[in-house]
Structures are given as C-alpha cells and as structure tokens.
Amino acid sequence: QEQLMESGGGLVQSGGVLRLSCASSTSIFGRPALGWCQRAPGKQRELVATITSGGNANYADSLKGRFTISRDNAKNTVYLQMNSLKPEDTAVYYCNARYESGRIIVYDYWGQGTQVTVSS
C-alpha cells in the first residue's frame, strides 16, 4: 500500500494559485521531514521545499516568496500553497517523507505525483 498520496494539481492560468496536499498513511512513524519536489518536462527532478518536524521551512531560491509549505501533524498532511504561478512551474509535483536517525535513513517515501500545468 502506498504511503503518500498527493492531490490538488490541475490546470491554471499564469498568475493563478493552487494548493497541493499530501496525506500520509497511518503506517508512517517517527518525526519525518516532509518536502515537495518537481519534475518539469525535459528537466531533472528538483527540490521545491522542505519542512522539518519542528516546522522550519526551506525553499528553492527561485520559489521563495511565492510558495509556502506547511504541515498539519494532526492530519498527517503536508501542503504546498502555490501563488503567482508561472508557466515554468509546470511539472509533476511529488511529496516526500524522510525519517533519519543520525546518518541512517529509516525510510524515504515518495508519492505518485500530481500534475500542475500553468498556461501562459
């Protein structure tokens, strides 16, 4: 059974907004770091944003100020609020949950992705 499931993608006009959600299964344990990556057409997978178990967020420099990552521990869900969308944001967005103990990766789960398409 899959551990993560993304939702909220779709087709929007340039300047529009989307809110992606990623729900985790109850089988996930510990205090994982959560994040989002994107895979745009013709490009490699790139980091979008991460958030630690303590709520500290980091963003790709090009996205800072437009995207906001947040988490709801009670719902086991991580969100990505995407504002002022640009055509170059078009990509499949993947949710990630990674739990580490020291240098040991206990688990590193990925969702199946949700498509975001921004028209010009």
Side-chain angles (χ1 to χ4, degrees), residues 41-82:
K43 293 186 176 181
Q44 296 179 332
R45 185 175 62 186
E46 298 179 353
L47 177 67
V48 173
T50 61
I51 185 167
T52 69
S53 61
N56 295 319
N58 290 283
Y59 303 90
D61 290 339
S62 62
L63 304 175
K64 189 175 298 184
R66 295 194 298 118
F67 289 10
T68 303
I69 188 172
S70 62
R71 63 191 295 165
D72 187 335
N73 291 331
K75 297 182 178 180
N76 298 115
T77 302
V78 61
Y79 305 94
L80 185 68
Q81 180 68 42
M82 309 167 69

Side-chain angles (χ1 to χ4, degrees), residues 77-95:
T77 302
V78 61
Y79 305 94
L80 185 68
Q81 180 68 42
M82 309 167 69
N83 299 327
S84 301
L85 283 162
K86 303 176 181 179
E88 54 261 44
D89 297 322
T90 295
V92 178
Y93 285 76
Y94 298 90
C95 174

Side-chain angles (χ1 to χ4, degrees), residues 9-50:
L11 173 64
V12 298
Q13 302 294 319
S14 180
V17 301
L18 285 173
R19 191 190 193 199
L20 307 184
S21 299
C22 177
S24 61
S25 70
T26 57
S27 65
I28 291 182
F29 62 89
R31 297 183 296 178
L34 303 172
W36 293 90
C37 290
Q38 63 174 213
R39 188 188 297 275
K43 293 186 176 181
Q44 296 179 332
R45 185 175 62 186
E46 298 179 353
L47 177 67
V48 173
T50 61

